[in-house]
Structures are given as C-alpha cells and as structure tokens.
Amino acid sequence: MSQPYYITTAISYPNGPPHIGHAYEAVATDALARFHRMAGRDVRFQTGTDEHGLKMAQAAAKKGVPPQVLADEMAGYFIEMTKKLDISHDRFIRTSETDHHAASQAIWSAMEANGDLYLDKYEGWYSVRDEAYYDESELVTAEGEGGETEKLSPQGTPVEWTVEESWFFRLSRYQEPLLKLFRENSGFLKPDSRRNEMIRFVEGGLKDLSISRTSFDWGVKVPGAENHVMYVWVDALTNYLTGLGYPAETEDYPKYWTAGGDITHIIGKDIVRFHSVYWPAFLMSAGLPLPKQVFGHGFLLNRGEKMSKSVGNVVDPLNLADKFGVDQLRYFLLSDVIFGKDGSYSAEMIVTRTNADLANNFGNLAQRSLSMIAKNCDGKIPQPGEATEAEKSLLKDLQTCFHAVTELLASDELPIHAAIDLIRERLSASNQYFADQEPWALRKTDPARADTVLYYTAESIRRLAILLRWVIPDSCDKMLDVLNQPRDARNFDHLEQLLEPGTEISKPSPIFPRLELPAATEEA
Ligand code: ME8
C-alpha cells in the first residue's frame, strides 16, 4: 500500500479577491488530489489564506478597516472560489486562526531550542509586495516615470530601506545541508529550471534571515518577545503543519508528516525560494521531516501579458466559470497549459479547446450513442454479442491509457497536460470506432451487431468518464449518472469491470453545450 499523500496549494494573500492565477493553482492541485484519491490513496489536501504581514496591514489601512476585517471579507471570496470550482480540499486554513498562532509559536520555539535564533538589528531592503528581504546585489535599477532611477526587486516590485530590531534565523548554517538536498534528491524541487536557479542562489551564499518585525503588530507574536511579530513567511509556511494538528501528536500530523507521508507543495514560480530554501531550513532546524516535493508551476498570462491592476486585465475566475462553465475552465487550464511552464489564456482559447474536446468529441459521442440506446434499446444497456478485434482493442487501449496516465503522474514532472493528451487520444479513438462501425446502418442489417457496437461504445464512455473524472468531476459524474453507475463504482479500480447489460440508462441530455465566443466588448 502506498504512503499517505499530503498535497497543498500555496495560501493566498487575501488583500484582494482571487484572480485566475489562484484559480489555476487550486484547480491543478485539486486534480492531483482527486487523481490519487481515485487511485485508492489516502489523500489529504489543504488550501487557504495567508492573512498576516505588511501587505495585508497596508491594504487594510488603505481601505480604512482593521486587517482582520479585510481578511474576513476577502477570505470569503477565496472560499467561494473553492466551492465554485469544485475544489475538494479537506481543510481551508486561515492563518489568523488560533491553532495557527499556536503552531507557529511551536516551530519558532523548536528553532530557538536548536540554537538557530538570535536578536540583532536588520538594516536592508524589503519589498512589501513580495513580503521579501533582498540583498543589494539582487536589486535591479529601473527608470521611473519622471526619468529618475529607482531600485526594484528582481520581481520588479518596489523596495524600501528598513532598519529595525529583529530576530534572525541562522540560515547560513543550512547552506551545505540545502545543497546536499538539491544535489542528492533531484525530485525535491521541480521543474529542473527552478532547481538550477535555486542551486545557484544557495551556492551564492546564504545570509542569516530576519524573521521578526517590530514596526507593526499584525501577525503572530514571537514567544517571549511580545513587541515582535513573526516575519509573515515564517507563519505562512507553518500553515502546512497547522492543518495537520501540529504540534499535537494527533492522528493526522504523524500520519501525513512525520511517519513518511508523501508531502507535495504545489506553488507558483515566484515563491520557490521560500518553499525550497527557507522552509526546508526551518524544518531541519525544528528537527522535522522535509516535503517530498516542491513543484513551482508557471504563471498564467492574459493573452501573453502579465496581469496587472493598472493594465486592467485582471480576470475574475468566477466570471470565467459562469461564462464558460466550471469544467470547461478546469479542462482548459489543465490541458492547454504545460504544467510547470507559463501559459496564456483568452476567451477564444477556452472556447476553441473545450468545443473541440468536450462538446464535439466527448459530448457528441455520448449524446449520439446514448440517444440510440434510449430510442432503440428500450433505454437499457443492450446485450452484446461476441467482441471482434475492434472491441477488444478499444477496451485494451483504454486500459493501456490508464497505466500510461498513472505512470506520468507518478513521475516528478507531474505532466498533467500530457496525461490529458493521452485521454484525449482515447476519446477520439472511441469516436472513430463509433463512426467506423455505423451502428445506425447496422440497426437495419444486423441488429445484434448494432447492439454489440452500442454496448462497447457505452462501455468506452463509462471508462472515459472515469479516466477524466479527476479533471472534470461534475461532468463525468453526470455522464456516469446517465449510465446509472453507483457512486462507489467511479474510481480507477472499476475501470476494467464491464457494464451490466440490461442496466437502465437515464435520458441523455447534452453535458457539454457548444460554446459561442462572447462578443468582443465583453471578452475575458
Ligand atoms: O504568494 N499565474 O500569495 P499570492 C499562476 N501568500 N499562479 C499565480 C499567478 C499567476 N498569474 N499569480 C500568483 C503568496 N500565482 C503567499 C504564499 S504559501 C505558504 C504563501 C500563485 O496570493 C503564486 O505563485 O501572491 C502562489 O503560488 C499563489 O498564486 C498565491 O499567490
């Protein structure tokens, strides 16, 4: 039996409502969680909001409300997004919750007990937007609007000179252990491009990290130094432990973390340094096991351009889901974007992709074949005659596809898009089988053979619905409802089982309507 699987998204800053990047990460992580659950693994999945820090405090001040009020309001939108997009998390964590304060103080105390914390003064650059400290050597110089030069972070965000008393973490101690981790464990950080970047960063030398602030008080209090709040990333990263009950030795914490569970953090490329350098160093210091993998996915660009409030191209993912359908959006994001690389989206791209694969391919096959069963077979799955080579290879190829998909998703590269490509090939093959066999013509010349063809077409639809259920759960469940399949017969271990002839089917109605392009004026 494989190890329990713990998968997490990053926790989002609720300084504004969710954008398409948040939706993308939630959907990709959800698909992986669902895949492993369908494969029979014990899965725990966590997502949530990262509510502390200067960015939140400043956003709240700008609105004239306390940070907790802003966090409560915006967290509500993030929770709404998870519901809307069918995200199957076990816990939605909010870092302002009491148990999270306790967990953050526990990891702090463990790092302190290991001799890794000391009090000093921080003097250096800080980017509020990135909630990150930068070394002078990392900054880039840009020309401001008035022609003056300004210093920006490597992410292009403004930086400010900060001087304050601060607790420090002896990150420098972990340079060698981290390099060893990267070198000996090539799967720890993926894709490889991010790993190479981080190896270069660590090789460049690690300075001790400032991990507390005294100039504001919106955060987790430092144990024994109540005028300090923890640097937001210390508490944010600890969310992954809080959600399991840490530090209490309850059932979930040992099961998913300390007893060798496979821990996977799915995050975006901009926060790889925090997850693959700071986080493992904190964990090593606290004497805790490390995650199995940190995966830094790419960014979604609106028609190839970075989203930004000033450009006015920030897209509300809930609007997209309303316009095009939840599963249509999920399918597009997961099949069109190469997991690990940046991807582009636009209304045309969503419509083109989902019309081709879902409406014209899957939907059309199901609608045509199941309507024939409804009309000609008394609404019941017909009794098949002997299977010919065509039927045998139809089913065999579906099974081979399942094994290939499993193998892909067990690899460190997590090629979700490539797994969907394989399933899409089977969709087309089933359509081809149906078209080649012409059951509508056989109905007149050889009704028994027509029944056989309809039986195997329905069987391939059942298998395709199971194969795609981790990507587009609601539509596949609707398809399996039409086929009258029990809820407990929809996982991968039911792939090879065959439809029971005589099973009554429900009247099929189109599950994937053909989408029209929205008018240019209201485009995404
Ligand atoms: O970074 N495309 O929060 P966040 C794809 N609170 N992904 C994107 C994206 C885009 N255009 N923009 C952002 C934070 N993301 C921290 C995380 S975890 C302990 C703390 C991703 O709201 C981003 O890379 O800025 C991150 O993984 C997630 O969305 C939340 O970003």
Side-chain angles (χ1 to χ4, degrees), residues 303-517:
R303 295 169 189 282
E305 274 192 50
K306 207 172 162 183
M307 286 183 287
S308 111
K309 280 190 191 141
S310 51
V311 179
N313 63 354
V314 181
V315 169
D316 176 354
L318 301 194
N319 266 344
L320 285 183
D322 282 337
K323 238 186 245 175
F324 302 117
V326 171
D327 280 346
Q328 280 77 358
L329 179 61
R330 287 179 61 114
Y331 185 83
F332 167 77
L333 291 174
L334 298 181
S335 63
D336 243 60
V337 182
I338 296 176
F339 201 51
K341 295 233 158 82
D342 288 349
S344 201
Y345 68 94
S346 67
E348 298 93 310
M349 289 168 82
I350 301 176
V351 169
T352 309
R353 163 63 67 198
T354 57
N355 273 350
D357 294 359
L358 299 181
N360 298 350
N361 207 343
F362 201 11
N364 197 27
L365 173 71
Q367 191 59 24
R368 286 175 72 199
S369 60
L370 300 179
S371 305
M372 283 177 77
I373 292 179
K375 193 162 144 230
N376 299 319
C377 310
D378 207 14
K380 294 194 180 105
I381 298 291
Q383 180 70 45
E386 202 168 325
T388 68
E389 265 322 299
E391 286 78 38
K392 283 182 192 153
S393 62
L394 182 72
L395 296 196
K396 191 166 140 271
D397 292 348
L398 279 160
Q399 206 53 24
T400 310
C401 168
F402 166 60
H403 293 304
V405 165
T406 304
E407 208 165 296
L408 282 179
L409 293 185
S411 74
D412 290 333
E413 272 68 25
L414 303 180
I416 298 175
H417 58 286
I420 299 175
D421 281 350
L422 293 180
I423 303 170
R424 180 192 303 121
E425 279 172 23
R426 288 306 100 212
L427 277 175
S428 303
S430 289
N431 246 314
Q432 195 61 50
Y433 164 81
F434 186 72
D436 289 349
Q437 299 295 325
E438 302 185 332
W440 53 92
L442 287 170
R443 176 74 36 221
K444 293 174 205 131
T445 55
D446 186 349
R449 177 71 195 148
D451 280 356
T452 304
V453 170
L454 287 177
Y455 175 88
Y456 282 99
T457 306
E459 174 59 24
S460 76
I461 290 169
R462 186 187 70 84
R463 293 186 187 201
L464 287 163
I466 293 179
L467 280 175
L468 265 183
R469 197 166 158 250
W470 56 286
V471 181
I472 47 170
D474 183 53
S475 308
C476 290
D477 274 333
K478 282 190 182 133
M479 200 80 90
L480 293 161
D481 286 345
V482 173
L483 291 171
N484 224 335
Q485 295 303 291
R487 284 266 150 186
D488 61 2
R490 298 179 177 196
N491 288 334
F492 298 137
D493 58 345
H494 284 84
L495 273 172
E496 269 188 292
Q497 179 198 40
L498 290 166
L499 275 169
E500 189 67 45
T503 305
E504 229 166 283
I505 65 164
S506 309
K507 195 172 158 6
S509 58
I511 291 172
F512 304 110
R514 261 191 78 81
L515 299 177
E516 299 293 332
L517 258 186

Side-chain angles (χ1 to χ4, degrees), residues 195-215:
R195 175 167 167 260
N196 297 336
E197 198 184 312
M198 278 308 115
I199 292 178
R200 279 197 302 278
F201 171 68
V202 178
E203 278 174 345
L206 291 179
K207 292 205 177 115
D208 290 350
L209 181 69
S210 161
I211 55 163
S212 76
R213 306 288 310 248
T214 39
S215 51

Side-chain angles (χ1 to χ4, degrees), residues 30-43:
D30 178 65
L32 292 168
R34 286 178 183 271
F35 182 87
H36 286 282
R37 266 191 225 115
M38 287 183 67
R41 274 185 100 169
D42 178 342
V43 173

Side-chain angles (χ1 to χ4, degrees), residues 259-330:
D262 279 351
I263 303 159
T264 301
H265 297 311
I266 304 291
I267 55 158
K269 63 178 184 180
D270 58 328
I271 54 171
V272 165
R273 182 189 295 189
F274 305 95
H275 282 80
S276 66
V277 177
Y278 300 169
W279 182 225
F282 296 163
L283 288 167
M284 285 182 208
S285 170
L288 296 174
L290 306 188
K292 177 170 170 250
Q293 185 173 60
V294 172
F295 191 98
H297 63 71
F299 263 32
L300 275 193
L301 306 169
N302 187 332
R303 295 169 189 282
E305 274 192 50
K306 207 172 162 183
M307 286 183 287
S308 111
K309 280 190 191 141
S310 51
V311 179
N313 63 354
V314 181
V315 169
D316 176 354
L318 301 194
N319 266 344
L320 285 183
D322 282 337
K323 238 186 245 175
F324 302 117
V326 171
D327 280 346
Q328 280 77 358
L329 179 61
R330 287 179 61 114

Side-chain angles (χ1 to χ4, degrees), residues 13-140:
Y13 291 125
N15 60 331
H19 55 62
I20 184 83
H22 294 124
Y24 174 60
E25 186 171 297
V27 164
T29 312
D30 178 65
L32 292 168
R34 286 178 183 271
F35 182 87
H36 286 282
R37 266 191 225 115
M38 287 183 67
R41 274 185 100 169
D42 178 342
V43 173
R44 184 163 174 104
F45 170 20
Q46 178 162 302
T47 186
T49 41
D50 180 2
E51 307 191 349
H52 296 129
L54 202 46
K55 175 146 91 173
M56 277 300 287
Q58 288 184 355
K62 213 167 152 193
K63 284 192 133 196
V65 296
Q68 189 66 62
V69 170
L70 177 66
D72 288 347
E73 182 196 346
M74 292 301 161
Y77 292 120
F78 280 88
I79 292 169
E80 190 187 332
M81 178 185 81
T82 62
K83 290 194 180 130
K84 176 92 183 183
L85 299 181
D86 265 341
I87 306 303
S88 63
H89 53 282
D90 299 287
R91 173 154 178 194
F92 187 99
I93 190 166
R94 297 186 52 192
T95 55
S96 57
E97 287 164 326
T98 320
D99 62 343
H100 179 67
H101 283 246
S104 305
Q105 289 171 337
I107 197 170
W108 181 286
S109 300
M111 296 191 292
E112 191 169 25
N114 199 38
D116 281 332
L117 308 190
Y118 61 93
L119 195 60
D120 203 343
K121 190 163 106 182
Y122 179 75
E123 261 184 88
W125 296 103
Y126 192 77
S127 157
V128 178
R129 249 200 262 162
D130 303 345
E131 294 283 21
Y133 299 95
Y134 290 108
D135 193 65
E136 177 84 38
S137 63
E138 293 182 274
L139 301 184
V140 292

